[in-house]
Amino acid sequence: MNKQVRHLATVVAVMFLALMVSATSVQFFQASKLNNDGRNVRTVYREFGRDRGPIVVAGEAIASSTPVDDVYGYQRSYAYGPLYAHSTGYFSTAFNNMTGLERSANDVLNGTSSSLLLQRIQTLFTGNQPQGGAVELTLDPAAQQAATKALGDQRGAVVALDPETGAILAMVSSPSYDPNALATHSRKDAQAALDALQADPGKPLVNRAIAGDQYAPGSSFKLITASAMLESGKYSVDSMVPAPTEMQLPQSTQVLNNPGNLPCGDGSGQVTFTQALKQSCNTPFATAGMELGDAEMRKQAEAYGFGEPLDVPLRVTPARFPETQSQAELAMASIGQASVRVTPMQMAMVGAAIANGGVQMQPYLVARELTADLEVVSTTKPKELRRPISASTADQLTQMMQEVVRSGTGKHAQIPGVTVAGKTGTAEIGKGVAPHAWFVGFAGEGDKRVAVAVVVENGGHEGEGASGGTTAAPIARQVMAAVLGK
């Protein structure tokens, strides 16, 4: 073989080797990256062109896929539009994107979950079209509809929980949006809908129930201060507490007043602990918070879950208790002001823990996972999350909260024939800005029990004249009544 032929053979061999190395790199080492590249059309069609399983509430599909004659093959649709939007999220071919449960339960809905392995094997043998599994939610349609109707066009949120299991019975954020507009296969129409939602000052895409900018809880936070007081062993429901009409905060020019600048109780300067909570007096709880100290107040807030990550499986933004820099700031934080920030989910968990004898259960939204044939493959088991207070403290708080509803600031949460416990809150935001109105409470009858948290942003329809008792409590009443069948 002459020299030229040998050189040519060597070049050809090197080229084949380079081709093999390149192919191996693409097919093996770069496979994951290329598959996940948003520009890979085949990956987009594979993921967004599946016969996706339904999301089910009370036996009815609230999100489902139907065959269509286009490149994707299936159109995702949402039967109730805005009603469940913040739970389901949306599945968008136009943006190659998923949100809400469409994202967090994606492996079940698209059929790739390990729990659906047997279904996939059966599909291989039968030659049938692969199908996604179903996800059944814990939501109670009556409670969801009652919360949506009661909030109306007001900005705010409602969360209702089963205190004994942690099942989420209602999760409503207002304003909502129609996920069908984002699920359309028309890129132009989907983009127009998204642009309008993102430009909306009401931020309808934000799930206020579990995320967003969070809220000052106002006097609803007094449940946590009251917990710390009872847990300290220094107080009982009948303890006398100092309750001046106003007080000068230490090392501050700020004067703290009771709501409406009214005297607490008979104006003598002292009231029972129960009366202080029933009337939602500020000065007793500010004083107690300062006496307990930052460490004890922080410890109690964290015992309820403040600062802890939580997935339901949607991600919940952790509540925050500030690092107080002064006694004055601690006093304000102890009545739910200063930099205390919470989600309605967190406050519903506080109410549920009290209702459940001091045991806080893990909130969950997915009740069961099912095959395409609706055979159950997984059921969520209730799980204890933590014990923020003793059973004795929970019992005493329940007694006081029942008084709040019976003859205090929470009277508008009363349900005929049902004992309701609750705590109102009116969170001041700033001068000239309407307050947020809160109600946290619970009720039970027979084997049905419900804990609820309601927040109405900036007073809703009542504006600066809003309060937790007049604005939020009636909404809570309607949600609790729906769960209890009243």
Side-chain angles (χ1 to χ4, degrees):
M1 185 181 293
N2 60 37
K3 185 176 181 181
Q4 289 85 354
V5 172
R6 286 199 304 272
H7 285 172
L8 179 60
T10 300
V11 170
V12 171
V14 170
M15 290 175 65
F16 269 109
L17 180 62
L19 181 62
M20 292 173 62
V21 170
S22 176
T24 301
S25 174
V26 170
Q27 294 178 8
F28 184 77
F29 295 106
Q30 298 182 47
S32 177
K33 179 181 179 181
L34 292 172
N35 280 331
N36 293 321
D37 194 315
R39 296 167 295 178
N40 187 336
V41 176
R42 286 188 299 174
T43 298
V44 172
Y45 288 165
R46 183 173 64 247
E47 177 62 55
F48 290 87
R50 292 179 184 270
D51 185 2
R52 196 170 178 80
I55 299 175
V56 178
V57 170
E60 183 178 6
I62 62 170
S64 59
S65 294
T66 54
V68 292
D69 187 20
D70 64 18
V71 293
Y72 293 106
Y74 295 92
Q75 172 66 58
R76 196 65 166 167
S77 60
Y78 302 88
Y80 290 89
L83 182 61
Y84 297 102
H86 290 101
S87 294
T88 62
Y90 62 84
F91 181 83
S92 172
T93 58
F95 309 123
N96 302 336
N97 188 35
M98 296 167 269
T99 64
L101 283 168
E102 292 282 21
R103 175 182 288 276
S104 61
N106 183 51
D107 61 343
V108 176
L109 296 170
N110 70 12
T112 62
S113 171
S114 59
S115 65
L116 299 174
L117 177 61
L118 181 59
Q119 175 182 294
R120 293 201 300 277
I121 293 175
Q122 291 173 340
T123 300
L124 288 175
F125 281 103
T126 61
N128 292 333
Q129 177 75 17
Q131 290 179 284
V135 172
E136 183 178 55
L137 306 189
T138 58
L139 296 174
D140 179 333
Q144 189 80 2
Q145 290 167 6
T148 300
K149 182 179 179 180
L151 271 173
D153 61 358
Q154 301 175 108
R155 298 182 190 178
V158 176
V159 173
L161 303 174
D162 182 330
E164 294 183 347
T165 66
I168 300 172
L169 304 177
M171 184 171 70
V172 171
S173 177
S174 177
S176 187
Y177 67 97
D178 186 355
N180 290 296
L182 300 174
T184 177
H185 290 181
S186 167
R187 170 79 185 191
K188 179 181 178 181
D189 292 346
Q191 188 64 57
L194 181 63
D195 290 345
L197 289 169
Q198 290 178 334
D200 190 329
K203 299 181 179 179
L205 291 174
V206 173
N207 187 345
R208 289 164 160 85
I210 62 172
D213 296 330
Q214 299 183 296
Y215 301 95
S219 291
S220 65
F221 186 84
K222 290 171 183 172
L223 292 174
I224 295 170
T225 304
S227 296
M229 293 167 70
L230 292 168
E231 288 287 290
S232 73
K234 300 176 182 178
Y235 300 87
S236 69
V237 294
D238 297 320
S239 293
M240 300 301 293
V241 294
T245 301
E246 64 178 33
M247 61 182 289
Q248 177 79 48
L249 296 180
Q251 300 176 327
S252 171
T253 59
Q254 185 172 357
V255 174
L256 178 65
N257 298 286
N258 288 320
N261 297 322
L262 298 173
C264 191
D266 60 7
S268 65
Q270 277 201 326
V271 297
T272 64
F273 191 4
T274 297
Q275 179 64 32
L277 192 74
K278 184 168 75 170
Q279 194 176 331
S280 198
C281 304
N282 288 330
T283 56
F285 292 96
T287 300
M290 290 188 291
E291 290 179 351
L292 289 167
D294 180 87
E296 285 302 309
M297 287 298 300
R298 181 177 307 284
K299 178 181 176 182
Q300 187 61 71
E302 291 174 351
Y304 274 111
F306 277 58
E308 292 296 318
L310 177 67
D311 296 304
V312 296
L314 308 182
R315 178 63 55 87
V316 180
T317 306
R320 310 193 302 272
F321 186 84
E323 293 186 6
T324 56
Q325 304 299 315
S326 66
Q327 285 289 86
E329 186 179 0
L330 177 57
M332 296 303 292
S334 299
I335 59 171
Q337 298 290 161
S339 298
V340 180
R341 292 294 181 271
V342 300
T343 59
M345 176 63 74
Q346 175 64 70
M347 296 310 294
M349 290 169 65
V350 170
I354 298 169
N356 198 36
V359 180
Q360 190 178 75
M361 303 299 289
Q362 165 85 43
Y364 63 98
L365 187 58
V366 176
R368 300 190 299 177
E369 296 175 357
L370 307 97
T371 67
D373 297 324
L374 302 184
E375 295 178 0
V376 178
V377 295
S378 175
T379 300
T380 302
K381 296 180 179 179
K383 177 184 176 182
E384 181 179 321
L385 199 56
R386 53 181 72 90
R387 298 195 177 205
I389 53 177
S390 67
S392 173
T393 293
D395 181 62
Q396 293 180 81
L397 282 170
T398 298
Q399 293 178 47
M400 292 193 290
M401 292 170 70
Q402 288 173 351
E403 286 298 316
V404 170
V405 176
R406 185 176 295 117
S407 58
T409 59
K411 288 185 289 185
H412 290 288
Q414 294 175 0
I415 301 173
V418 177
T419 301
V420 180
K423 180 69 193 79
T424 59
T426 307
E428 296 178 2
I429 310 304
K431 189 174 182 180
V433 180
H436 298 325
W438 279 91
F439 183 87
V440 178
F442 51 89
E445 187 175 62
D447 61 350
K448 288 187 176 181
R449 302 179 68 198
V450 57
V452 64
V454 175
V455 64
V456 179
E457 279 186 27
N458 303 125
H461 295 152
E462 297 184 21
E464 293 190 24
S467 71
T470 60
T471 309
I475 297 173
R477 179 191 68 231
Q478 293 183 52
V479 176
M480 291 187 288
V483 173
L484 301 176
K486 293 294 183 179

